[in-house]
Amino acid sequence: MIDCAIVIGGDGSLIEVARTLWKRDVPILGINMGTLGYLTEVEVSNLAEDITQMLKGDYLYEERMMLEGMFPNGKKDVALNDIVVSRKGDDLRIIYFKLFVNGELLNSYEADGIIISTPTGSTAYNMSAGGPIVDPKGDMILLTPNNAHNLTSKSIVLSGDDEIEIEILSRREQNDEMACVSYDGDTTAELAVGDRFVISKAANHTKICKLHQRSFLEILRKKMGNYS
């Protein structure tokens, strides 16, 4: 008997299901119909063999941390890969914001935005923006400024227990700039000047079904090699 949710698609499909099921403690098995497939364990070429293995109960669970973002009005949502704060829509102007860690000011930024990533999301938008790749089983939060107007703005790796707070600031007298928050590139909401947006580790994890004992480095080498 297979006691998990089966997702047919790419990593995006699995992430969407993870966000839907994150409070229900339901493991997820991904069947890869996409391209890279970092999260989807089963390849179509091995489908029959892998499903037979699942039916025998021969598999493990791998827990992945998630992030929770809270708006000033108390509204919350979660992400498996990343939460991104960026300029709104087609607005070409950069945004100005301060970033606090556990209540202490870390830095002020003028940038296109910032990517707050889980270890699972380190190979997604974070990597494209020049951020570090880390083991997806880790318990840490990655901060990667996106096109910051500062030569010293680098990625920072924090503990998974840290709380990040982003305050949107004004860059001009009109005080009408807006920023946009997205969860795993999907759900979006707006932030206005003066708003403070809080990000922390979510209370629940996502459980990914693992059929094979391949290491993260082996998977990374294979996936990156196919697209180098």
Side-chain angles (χ1 to χ4, degrees):
M1 178 179 180
I2 300 177
D3 57 347
C4 65
I6 297 178
V7 179
I8 302 174
D11 284 352
S13 299
L14 191 146
I15 289 169
E16 183 179 354
V17 171
R19 294 182 62 215
T20 301
L21 299 178
W22 80 283
K23 286 186 177 181
R24 302 182 185 179
D25 197 34
V26 177
I28 303 172
L29 174 70
I31 299 175
N32 185 28
M33 298 291 289
T35 52
L36 283 178
Y38 284 103
L39 297 174
T40 46
E41 173 78 1
V42 177
E43 299 291 344
V44 173
S45 58
N46 297 324
L47 182 59
E49 179 181 338
D50 286 344
I51 292 298
T52 299
Q53 181 178 337
M54 285 288 295
L55 290 171
K56 293 178 180 179
D58 184 13
Y59 57 94
L60 301 173
Y61 301 140
E62 188 172 277
E63 291 194 339
R64 303 289 185 89
M65 70 169 283
M66 301 184 76
L67 292 175
E68 179 179 86
M70 183 173 68
F71 291 90
N73 61 6
K75 184 179 179 180
K76 300 178 181 180
D77 207 337
V78 295
L80 176 59
N81 263 1
D82 52 45
I83 297 175
V84 178
V85 178
S86 61
R87 58 193 183 192
K88 180 184 175 184
D90 296 329
D91 192 344
L92 298 180
R93 293 170 296 190
I94 61 176
I95 58 173
Y96 182 31
F97 57 94
K98 288 184 177 179
L99 193 147
F100 301 83
V101 178
N102 301 325
E104 181 178 352
L105 177 65
L106 173 63
N107 202 357
S108 297
Y109 294 91
E110 293 185 64
D112 286 349
I114 188 166
I115 305 161
I116 302 93
S117 171
T118 64
T120 296
S122 71
T123 52
Y125 192 9
N126 167 77
M127 182 182 71
S128 299
I133 297 175
V134 301
D135 191 309
K137 299 186 297 298
D139 184 21
M140 61 194 78
I141 300 174
L142 287 64
L143 307 179
T144 300
N146 192 9
N147 294 329
H149 286 219
N150 186 329
L151 293 176
T152 61
S153 292
K154 303 296 183 182
S155 296
I156 299 172
V157 180
L158 302 174
S159 164
D161 294 324
D162 288 334
E163 180 181 87
I164 296 100
E165 187 173 22
I166 296 172
E167 179 184 5
I168 305 300
L169 304 177
S170 175
R171 298 187 65 249
R172 54 184 191 163
E173 293 182 359
Q174 291 93 325
N175 203 42
D176 60 354
E177 293 100 329
M178 299 290 292
C180 179
V181 176
S182 64
Y183 295 82
D184 286 332
D186 184 15
T187 306
T188 59
E190 294 180 353
L191 291 172
V193 171
D195 282 348
R196 287 188 168 223
F197 180 65
V198 179
I199 300 166
S200 59
K201 180 169 62 176
N204 293 56
H205 288 72
T206 287
K207 290 183 177 179
I208 306 293
C209 291
K210 305 295 290 184
L211 298 175
H212 310 289
Q213 297 301 313
R214 291 193 293 262
S215 69
F216 167 63
L217 294 180
E218 180 184 350
I219 295 171
L220 183 65
R221 183 172 63 252
K222 176 183 176 183
K223 300 296 185 181
M224 297 299 290
N226 288 340
Y227 290 87
S228 61

